[in-house]
Amino acid sequence: MKRIKNNLEKLVTRSKKRLIHIKEDHVIKEYFKNNILVFTFIITCVLNSTILRFFCMNTLENYLSVKAILADLTIVIIISAFGYLIKPKNRFTYYIIFEIFLTLICVINSVYYTFYTSFASVSMLSLTQYIGDVGDAVVENVLQLKDLIYILGPLILIFVHIKLKKKNYYKRIEVKSERKKRTFQMLGLGGALAIIFIVTLTSLDVTRFVKQWNKEYIVMRFGIYIYQANDVITSLQPKINSMFGYDQANKEFQEYFTGKDEVKTNEYTNIFEGKNVIVIHGESMQTNAMNLKFNDQEVTPTLNKLAKEGMFFSNFYSQVSVGTSSDTELTYNTSLMPTKSGTAFVSYSDRKYVATPSLLKEKGYYTFSMHANNADFWNRRAMHKNLGYDKFYSKSDYKITPDDVIGLGLNDKAFFAQSTQKIEKIAKKYENWYGLLIMLTNHTPFSETEKYGEFDVDIKETITNEDGTTEEKIHPYMEGTKLGNYFKSIHYADSALGEFITNLDEKGLLDNTVLIIYGDHDGRLPKSDYNKLYNYDKETDSLLSKEDPNYKEYDSYQYELGRKVPFIIWTKDMAGTKLNQEVTNVMGMYDAMPTLGNMFGYYNKYQLGNDIFNIKEDNIVVFPNGNWVTNKVYYNSQKGEYLSLSDEAISEDEIKNNSTYANKLLDISNNIIIFDLLKQKEEKIQE
Ligand code: GP9
Ligand code: MN
């Protein structure tokens, strides 16, 4: 009896469970049935974005990027939630409008990517001359069958809608009172996904999102829909910034430059007139690496040789903000400072600039730039055109095999080798030419040490034992540190530069050429590594104690002063002439254009820097954060503190006057760019 009872009980519970299952299944099915249109919308929109990534960045990791799918899903679910507020019979209109809109984003980006290997930006719409150049080509060559696949999304939605309508779906899906509930349910789901997405973001994701130029990365991490929304907002920001305060800005600008157009001459005026120019943008090259040797080997023998034979500015600073490489390009070419928010190259590429390449073009030069990275990196494609380069040779102009890649792309040795061939052709075609070559390998994080070639940053010692035998002892020193890896990396870049110069010389390309080399910014290396560099105790393989008489304090001021970059002007016959000298007066990137302009015979009335041979020891270098440095003092504007650099007393007035000057200069520079003041000026002259 007991057994029968037990069995019966088991049977009842089993059937109960099955009933719950059936009920659950039923509920899910019902839910799905009632929401077919919404789900079709969600799935097709997320699928379109995934297909776009598949066509553009054809690695599995990219197009199946979970973060991107999560981001797309979040956006589409949030959009879909509001559809529930609309009456069922009109709901299709809502979804099809959004479906078409999101599909258009995918189609435009797909076409754009095929042509530019980058994603579209609304800010490009203002660069009309640029679109004019490519408009026809886009239609003829670029619109391909694959760009039409996205249209399947709206077609599927229309198909589903017709089917549903036939089945009277819209009349029976929900009662009015349920609409709000469903909206909130969907919003809740979207919100939950958004939270998961935000929590999984890294700081790199966030900085790249804010900077916006690394478009592939953003699309891979944030999906195309968030990318485009972010693009619209960042593209509008410059417009909003320039809406208020124009009159005041223009007035201050006029006042600032009144009486400043007197062209001063000095012993170097026009000394290089008519010479060809090769400018080397030395990625992350820092002056302090030039003074170092490891085991009697110089870290940068080429730079050292050029500095010794040429004109070497040893107290020279870059003046970069968040736009790093591109900020230096801006300041070097225009003698303006980086903008206070955003970056000039990305946000203000449609402004008028008075730039070195344009000025040399007016003198009959052919101007070009070369960089084996994606042309849209830092928006160079648009900005180089604006600055006056006749041609920008970028990634697609170089042969890049996987073996040739170090870090961000084509290694410097291969880059220089291929560039030499291009320069040879240019030199045959044009009498005068000016070219910028942007290096790439010596870029943070300096981690591919096995590819840089042999360069040890340890201390090797030969020890003689009591019995007369010798043995080699190795103290690890900078091995394994980021700074140590940086030395290996810059050693590689330096040797690439050396090979380049030898090749140019062999081809006779240095005979009438001036070489200009600048470090674009420091290597952003840890302060603690410098501490090790200057305070290493090889006996204990640790740091000297602060009490040790040999201990060298490396505080935040030393760090800031250590961020100097090399600036060298060199020709093959300069050694021993009056040009062969070390200039020790403090100098900034914004002084490059005035100093070089005087030597080559071009002039920018709106330069903010000075010809160092006119201003000499009175120079001041202003940094984008308001800090400044003179020969006598480094001032930290954030802390309101300074470090004296000479024995001369520093007065309060000096600090105050220099700070006022620094702030004024930053304001003027910012206003010139934001309010496009040079354009207004040009238009007035033409009237
Ligand atoms: C990228 C290169 C590096 O093409 O110029 O830019 P950075 O990260 O140094 O600003
Ligand atoms: Mn750089």
Side-chain angles (χ1 to χ4, degrees), residues 30-67:
E30 267 306 295
Y31 187 79
F32 188 74
K33 262 188 173 174
N34 283 340
N35 295 283
I36 292 178
L37 191 75
V38 183
F39 287 138
T40 314
F41 169 75
I42 294 173
I43 292 166
T44 48
C45 291
V46 172
L47 213 62
N48 267 353
S49 170
T50 311
I51 293 171
L52 177 76
R53 283 196 303 281
F54 171 69
F55 282 140
C56 300
M57 298 174 281
N58 28 34
T59 70
L60 200 69
E61 185 206 340
N62 284 340
Y63 71 81
L64 285 183
S65 157
V66 178
K67 280 189 190 172

Side-chain angles (χ1 to χ4, degrees), residues 281 283 325 520-521 524:
H281 173 116
E283 177 57 47
S325 278
D520 70 340
H521 47 75
R524 292 161 273 187

Side-chain angles (χ1 to χ4, degrees), residues 41 98 145 187 284 286:
F41 169 75
F98 272 101
L145 211 58
L187 277 180
S284 305
Q286 259 175 254

Side-chain angles (χ1 to χ4, degrees), residues 422-623:
K422 297 184 200 303
I423 297 172
E424 223 184 337
K425 284 191 191 136
I426 291 168
K428 277 196 187 123
K429 205 164 160 199
Y430 300 96
E431 200 178 322
N432 272 138
W433 41 269
Y434 172 94
L436 164 76
L437 278 81
I438 302 172
M439 297 174 76
L440 190 59
T441 307
N442 188 37
H443 192 278
T444 193
F446 319 109
S447 51
E448 294 180 33
T449 46
E450 70 289 350
K451 295 188 182 164
Y452 302 146
E454 257 320 276
F455 188 73
D456 296 336
V457 290
D458 53 15
I459 300 174
K460 295 187 177 43
E461 257 186 336
T462 312
I463 296 177
T464 313
N465 297 319
E466 280 172 12
D467 59 3
T469 55
T470 57
E471 64 177 294
E472 192 175 64
K473 193 155 190 233
I474 298 173
H475 308 278
Y477 195 20
M478 299 312 290
E479 285 292 341
T481 63
K482 187 167 179 187
L483 182 58
N485 291 350
Y486 169 75
F487 292 139
K488 290 170 193 261
S489 166
I490 195 175
H491 183 76
Y492 167 88
D494 180 88
S495 100
L497 188 60
E499 281 180 18
F500 176 53
I501 293 170
T502 310
N503 278 340
L504 287 175
D505 200 16
E506 273 170 17
K507 295 187 187 317
L509 290 165
L510 289 182
D511 296 347
N512 188 36
T513 304
V514 179
L515 211 63
I516 296 163
I517 297 148
Y518 62 74
D520 70 340
H521 47 75
D522 69 317
R524 292 161 273 187
L525 297 150
K527 190 155 126 283
S528 56
D529 282 4
Y530 281 107
N531 214 8
K532 185 168 190 181
L533 179 73
Y534 297 120
N535 293 304
Y536 181 65
D537 183 354
K538 62 180 180 183
E539 303 313 329
T540 57
D541 184 29
S542 60
L543 293 185
L544 293 172
S545 88
K546 287 196 176 174
E547 283 70 45
D548 194 291
N550 292 324
Y551 184 83
K552 263 204 253 163
E553 181 73 31
Y554 201 81
D555 60 14
S556 57
Y557 280 112
Q558 301 307 320
Y559 186 80
E560 289 304 322
L561 295 165
R563 295 174 76 187
K564 288 184 193 68
V565 297
F567 183 52
I568 302 170
I569 303 170
W570 180 91
T571 61
K572 59 186 268 186
D573 51 7
M574 207 187 239
T577 67
K578 68 172 179 180
L579 287 162
N580 179 201
Q581 58 175 297
E582 180 179 341
V583 179
T584 55
N585 284 323
V586 73
M587 188 173 171
M589 195 57 82
Y590 63 4
D591 301 316
M593 185 185 200
T595 305
L596 293 168
N598 175 57
M599 293 173 162
F600 284 90
Y602 59 86
Y603 179 67
N604 171 9
K605 184 177 176 222
Y606 303 106
Q607 57 201 23
L608 292 174
N610 288 288
D611 179 343
I612 194 67
F613 296 109
N614 289 336
I615 191 130
K616 298 178 180 153
E617 62 278 355
D618 293 331
N619 202 19
I620 171 169
V621 176
V622 175
F623 295 100

Side-chain angles (χ1 to χ4, degrees), residues 248-249 252 666-677:
Q248 181 65 18
E252 285 174 15
L666 289 172
D667 280 345
I668 296 289
S669 181
N670 200 48
N671 289 342
I672 286 179
I673 299 175
I674 286 181
F675 295 108
D676 209 359
L677 296 178

Side-chain angles (χ1 to χ4, degrees), residues 332-334 354-361 367 387 434 593 602:
Y332 170 80
N333 275 314
T334 65
V354 179
T356 300
S358 309
L359 294 176
L360 282 174
K361 246 166 85 127
T367 56
L387 293 175
Y434 172 94
M593 185 185 200
Y602 59 86

